Amino acid sequence: KLSRGEKWRILKNVAAVSLSFMVQFTAFQGTANLQSSINAKEGLGTVSLSAIYAALVVSCIFVPTFLIKRLTVKWTLCLSLLCYAPYIASQFYPKFYTLVPAGVLLGLGAAPMWAAKATYLTQVAGVYAKITDQTVDGIVVRFFGFFFLAWQTAELWGNLISSLVFSSGAHGGGGDHGNTTIFTDAALRHCGANFCTNLGGNANIQRPPDSEIFTISAIYLTCIFVASIMVAVFVDPLSRYGEKQRRADSQELSGIQLLSATAYQLKKPYQQLLIPITVWIGMEQAFIGADFTQAYVSCAYGIHNIGYVMICFGVVNAICSVVFGSIMKFIGRIPLMILGALVHAGLVIILLYWKPHPQSPLVFFTISGLWGVGDAVWQTQVNGLYGTLFRRNKEAAFSNYRLWESAGFVVAYAYSNHLCARMKLYVMFVVLCIGMVGYFIVEILHKKKKQ
């Protein structure tokens, strides 16, 4: 049996898992936010991101259970963290035949990584609850809360690294040819909603010097290895907390079973009604990370500022996730969802009419921050909604959530090079409206069913 001192050991494990993900995603978020701007040629960056999410969909269904059974949770984590390394290493030689396959590998590794993390935290939360005589649900929420807080600060560190390196170089304020020549009014006319990758809106987006990109990528690559080593060294294997017993107890679904369960889940009317809002969640994240950074920030404010603007998104997002998680107990889900919809709909309309200009830097940060408010609503509330509506089939439900969210990412990255920013905003507005209608119908049906 486990002693009371074991609870500190469990907290150490939770901290180690959370911090390793923070270090890992410092590298990934930082790299991902730059893709549409530094690898803009022929849309290489966005195509590689599209490959990641397409692979993730396939992987979510087939890889996690298979790998975790073979390797155990701890070593699955270790290995899948390393799957991120080739993608970042490919930044040293970005071509379609290096970045896209590396993106596919990253996508394949991402699903077992998230599954292993969730399994690990849930399992140790159960043990911790036993030792401390608390409810399992409360501890699970607390552990996941701490994890996501650490994970979300990665957006901050990753962007900080990229912006500091770019700003110190000639590309940023360092050189005297800095910002005067680039932003002529004629060039700025192509930014914002008028930005089209195929109509030479790219003239403003010059790839920063290789030396700077290489410096950033080297830092990020180190992060990946550090994260994997952290798990190997500091995280106790789950066998210590009854991994063998967990396998015997739980009916974990195999790939084919999960595939059929996921397909079966799609027959449920609630699930069908939630598809549009879930696709929207993928699209809005892809928009802020690829289209906003390219058409607005890079084009009118410079690549070296992407990081700073995205830090604003990350910080607000992290704070709001914590706040909305707590507020929901008092005001319920519906007011928060309405808030999210109003914020994002308002921003889409503003982005259609606003002409970005380097003289008004505050607007970039405000839009980025407000986008984080909306994103925090979707991340916390829609996840929670899936958990509440489909209590009995959580695996199939979250598999669907990831499937449709990833579909949103894939679609948004795929058309990224073919549509102008204005058209993307129209598409997003329509998807958001349909999504909210579907969501309200679910709430109404759910209320009737309860009565």
Side-chain angles (χ1 to χ4, degrees):
K1 270 332 283 171
L2 299 165
S3 66
R4 285 194 69 79
E6 189 66 35
K7 75 174 204 186
W8 294 108
R9 189 145 186 171
I10 292 179
L11 292 177
K12 176 217 66 169
N13 286 321
V14 172
V17 170
S18 304
L19 293 175
S20 68
F21 269 70
M22 182 184 87
V23 173
Q24 171 85 355
F25 277 84
T26 292
F28 177 66
Q29 295 288 9
T31 308
N33 288 341
L34 293 172
Q35 287 310 301
S36 64
S37 298
I38 62 174
N39 293 324
K41 205 174 157 207
E42 292 176 13
L44 169 59
T46 41
V47 171
S48 72
L49 290 169
S50 201
I52 289 177
Y53 288 96
L56 187 64
V57 175
V58 180
S59 173
C60 278
I61 291 176
F62 293 108
V63 184
T65 337
F66 173 82
L67 252 192
I68 291 172
K69 276 204 177 101
R70 302 286 180 292
L71 289 179
T72 71
V73 168
K74 172 177 172 172
W75 296 110
T76 298
L77 261 182
C78 248
L79 180 74
S80 47
L81 288 171
L82 287 176
C83 287
Y84 281 65
Y87 186 72
I88 290 167
S90 301
Q91 303 299 326
F92 290 101
Y93 191 73
K95 293 273 183 275
F96 276 92
Y97 55 84
T98 56
L99 265 184
V100 176
V104 170
L105 178 68
L106 190 155
L108 290 176
M113 178 188 76
W114 286 105
K117 180 264 323 179
T119 307
Y120 193 94
L121 291 184
T122 317
Q123 182 76 5
V124 296
V127 179
Y128 188 88
K130 259 191 203 132
I131 299 174
T132 56
D133 282 332
Q134 296 178 65
T135 63
V136 177
D137 282 350
I139 301 290
V140 169
V141 170
R142 211 177 307 162
F143 281 4
F144 273 86
F146 177 76
F147 171 84
F148 278 109
L149 188 65
W151 177 71
Q152 272 171 326
T153 60
E155 181 89 52
L156 194 165
W157 309 122
N159 291 315
L160 196 58
I161 291 170
S162 72
S163 276
L164 289 174
V165 175
F166 283 150
S167 301
S168 63
H171 203 75
D176 48 21
H177 61 280
N179 303 329
T180 42
T181 47
I182 311 182
F183 303 117
T184 58
D185 286 338
L188 285 171
R189 243 179 265 140
H190 290 295
C191 297
N194 299 327
F195 183 90
C196 303
T197 37
N198 42 11
L199 296 181
N202 277 358
N204 294 12
I205 302 182
Q206 294 155 346
R207 184 176 151 97
D210 279 350
S211 61
E212 293 176 20
I213 291 177
F214 291 172
T215 306
I216 291 173
S217 301
I219 297 171
Y220 287 160
L221 201 53
T222 315
C223 288
I224 302 285
F225 291 120
V226 169
S228 191
I229 292 165
M230 278 169 75
V231 172
V233 176
F234 296 111
V235 176
D236 290 317
L238 200 51
S239 53
R240 184 183 180 95
Y241 302 109
E243 180 166 29
K244 304 260 188 313
Q245 175 205 337
R246 179 187 67 83
R247 285 197 208 159
D249 291 351
S250 77
Q251 274 66 57
E252 287 239 320
L253 305 171
S254 72
I256 303 295
Q257 285 169 316
L258 183 58
L259 186 60
S260 63
T262 306
Y264 182 72
Q265 171 79 9
L266 269 177
K267 290 188 174 154
K268 299 180 182 168
Y270 283 174
Q271 179 62 61
Q272 292 167 354
L273 288 164
L274 288 175
I275 289 174
I277 196 78
T278 315
V279 170
W280 156 260
I281 297 174
M283 287 174 74
E284 59 91 7
Q285 290 176 74
F287 178 83
I288 191 83
D291 298 318
F292 178 70
T293 53
Q294 183 186 43
Y296 293 81
V297 186
S298 287
C299 187
Y301 193 32
I303 289 187
H304 56 280
N305 285 315
I306 291 180
Y308 297 131
V309 173
M310 290 302 286
I311 284 172
C312 192
F313 168 78
V315 171
V316 174
N317 196 325
I319 295 169
C320 288
S321 296
V322 177
V323 174
F324 293 157
S326 339
I327 291 188
M328 194 209 144
K329 294 190 199 92
F330 306 109
I331 63 170
R333 187 183 306 114
I334 298 174
L336 281 174
M337 290 288 286
I338 293 172
L339 169 77
L342 291 176
V343 167
H344 269 155
L347 286 174
V348 167
I349 294 164
I350 290 168
L351 286 169
L352 279 168
Y353 291 102
W354 174 52
K355 304 264 183 289
H357 200 280
Q359 251 76 57
S360 52
L362 269 176
V363 188
F364 291 96
F365 290 95
T366 312
I367 290 178
S368 167
L370 285 171
W371 201 274
V373 174
D375 183 63
V377 170
W378 311 124
Q379 298 282 4
T380 53
Q381 304 310 307
V382 179
N383 256 310
L385 181 62
Y386 269 79
T388 328
L389 289 178
F390 311 114
R391 284 219 173 94
R392 298 219 179 90
N393 325 64
K394 275 208 171 118
E395 266 195 57
F398 283 112
S399 163
N400 257 293
Y401 176 82
R402 283 194 301 261
L403 173 73
W404 296 109
E405 184 191 32
S406 302
F409 272 109
V410 173
V411 169
Y413 287 137
Y415 68 51
S416 185
N417 281 326
H418 305 291
L419 298 181
C420 295
R422 182 178 305 280
M423 200 62 212
K424 291 174 192 169
L425 289 163
Y426 290 145
V427 172
M428 298 218 330
F429 193 78
V430 172
V431 175
L432 175 59
C433 292
I434 298 171
M436 285 308 285
V437 171
Y439 163 72
F440 283 129
I441 297 172
V442 168
E443 287 284 14
I444 294 163
L445 291 176
H446 191 56
K447 227 179 209 108
K448 278 190 179 151
K449 199 170 159 186
K450 267 192 191 155
Q451 281 162 5

